[in-house]
Amino acid sequence: MTNSPGTAADGGRSAPITERRYLAPFILITSLFFLWAFGVNLNDILIPHLKKAFGLTDFQSSFIYFLTAFPAGRVMEKIGYKKGILAGLFLCAAGAVLFLPASSSRVYGFFLFALFVMACGQSFLEVAANPYVTILGPAASAERRLNFAQSFNAVGAVLSPILGRSFILTGVEYAPAQIAAMSAAQLGAYRAAEASTVKGPYLMIAGIFVIVAVLIRLAHLPDVQETAVEGRAAGAEKSAGSILSHAHLVKGVVAQFFYVGAQVGVASFVIRYAQFSVPGTTAKVAALYLLLHQVGFMAGRFIGSGLMKRIAAASLLALFAGASLLCATVALLASGVIPVWAVVFIGFFHSIMFPTIFALGIKNLGALTKRGSSLMVMAIVGGAFFPAIMGRISDAASIQKAFLVPLLCYVYILYFGVQGYKPAAVTGLERTSLGSESTPL
């Protein structure tokens, strides 16, 4: 048995991001992060385009993932990662295809069903792809590998609104009075023309999901063999009580809940905060701050994965959480344009949090990895919970005071990065392994 690279005194931080034998599978799985980000964020363009009266709230969209993530983890315990990824891709493709008749019928229930099918597929991809990336290479670089793969999720999040505006939005807008003055035939023709613009893009998205599914089906993805803790029966290892006995996982789920809540809450109120902090700021100028916030998030993913070559993942998480805490403090106490830039910079410091918390939380779970991953995905419901609290505080006091909410979230994330991530020592726990290779990863 040979030693894995990067397991010396540097704590493994010099380990390569992956090994040559896993490069093709790593590229294929990384493409999934871009695809589901593109699909999710394109809905932000599609929903108000089809029918503003039926726009989904953050709670509705987050709750869909909450409902579907844990069943996805249980299913993948039976069918494995590869079949789970294929199931997710085909569900996403089916959901994208369903957008075509839904947009033509303009029936909200049909549209919601299409969105639900696509969300089910995205839950499968989240639950499967995140832990699978962590094992496609040396264990020492697992967090860095997941951060790099998640960087393409951020690229998809930035590109999808740009492409959506180009290919879906027609730029034809009528005032309510103009619409009221239209005849039934004119109104029907206008709505049909608006709805038809989604058909081409979503048909193309469905085709891309199918092509990637075929490539993954034909590719040789390493088999995953997750071994249980020595001395425990497989059934006992997979019990609900057992999964909650891993304190670092439970703390990771809580940290993920707080992180997603803070990330969605801050991003949702960047424009409003800029207009509050600098009176007279137009919506167009305020939107530029939001764009910079998102670009900083994308850049931070790539930069963060590079920094992990020299800085331990947990230490970098603590550093970024501390910086976010400082920025939120400035946003809460200062006035003028400086706190606006502090909010913009939070986007950069948010960048590594989701993948790093995810990778640290599922570490050393063995046979419980899939179930632990599903709990991590379910934690995104925080994206519905905390922004609502920020909204209430904003209505009752001011949007500036609402930034106390993400500030408190960063306190817990800082704790997780300093202490909470540490798994309890378990005698006889074997790592997840790939195929029949004897080389430790």
Side-chain angles (χ1 to χ4, degrees), residues 64-317:
I64 288 173
Y65 287 98
F66 180 82
L67 290 173
T68 57
F70 196 70
R74 296 299 297 271
V75 168
M76 267 180 288
E77 288 180 356
K78 305 292 185 184
I79 66 177
Y81 284 111
K82 183 173 181 176
K83 290 181 180 178
I85 290 169
L86 291 174
L89 285 167
F90 282 118
L91 281 170
C92 284
V97 169
L98 286 172
F99 275 114
L100 277 65
S103 63
S104 295
S105 66
R106 299 192 297 277
V107 174
Y108 176 61
F110 199 168
F111 172 65
L112 186 59
F113 176 70
L115 185 62
F116 180 80
V117 172
M118 202 166 185
C120 287
Q122 288 158 351
S123 291
F124 270 79
L125 295 180
E126 285 263 21
V127 172
N130 280 293
Y132 195 68
V133 162
T134 66
I135 58 174
L136 282 177
S141 57
E143 294 86 2
R144 182 157 60 95
R145 192 160 47 252
L146 184 54
N147 268 278
F148 181 76
Q150 282 272 2
S151 299
F152 293 91
N153 184 275
V155 173
V158 171
L159 287 181
S160 54
I162 297 172
L163 295 176
R165 289 185 182 96
S166 300
F167 293 102
I168 292 179
L169 300 185
T170 62
V172 179
E173 296 282 347
Y174 290 110
Q178 292 175 302
I179 292 176
M182 290 180 180
S183 65
Q186 288 174 323
L187 183 59
Y190 166 66
R191 287 179 172 170
E194 289 292 295
S196 67
T197 62
V198 308
K199 294 180 178 179
Y202 269 85
L203 189 61
M204 183 174 65
I205 289 171
I208 293 172
F209 277 120
V210 171
I211 290 170
V212 174
V214 171
L215 291 174
I216 287 178
R217 176 66 182 84
L218 296 176
H220 174 67
L221 295 186
D223 293 327
V224 177
Q225 295 156 357
E226 294 160 319
T227 53
V229 176
E230 186 179 303
R232 290 189 190 177
E237 176 66 19
K238 290 187 177 184
S239 70
S242 179
I243 190 69
L244 296 179
S245 70
H246 293 269
H248 76 287
L249 169 67
V250 175
K251 293 173 184 176
V253 171
V254 174
Q256 203 71 288
F257 178 74
F258 280 118
Y259 160 68
V260 178
Q263 190 266 325
V264 174
V266 172
S268 298
F269 292 109
V270 169
I271 292 177
R272 193 178 304 177
Y273 184 86
Q275 291 181 308
F276 168 86
S277 190
V278 184
T281 301
T282 65
K284 188 173 182 179
V285 171
L288 290 176
Y289 289 117
L290 176 59
L291 177 61
L292 291 171
H293 178 90
Q294 293 169 327
V295 170
F297 180 86
M298 179 179 67
R301 282 269 168 93
F302 287 103
I303 294 171
S305 64
L307 288 174
M308 284 182 192
K309 286 189 72 173
R310 301 185 178 279
I311 305 173
S315 299
L316 194 63
L317 175 64

Side-chain angles (χ1 to χ4, degrees), residues 372-393:
S373 299
S374 66
L375 292 176
M376 280 289 185
V377 175
M378 290 172 71
I380 69 172
V381 76
F385 184 74
F386 289 105
I389 295 176
M390 290 181 70
R392 286 296 183 94
I393 295 174

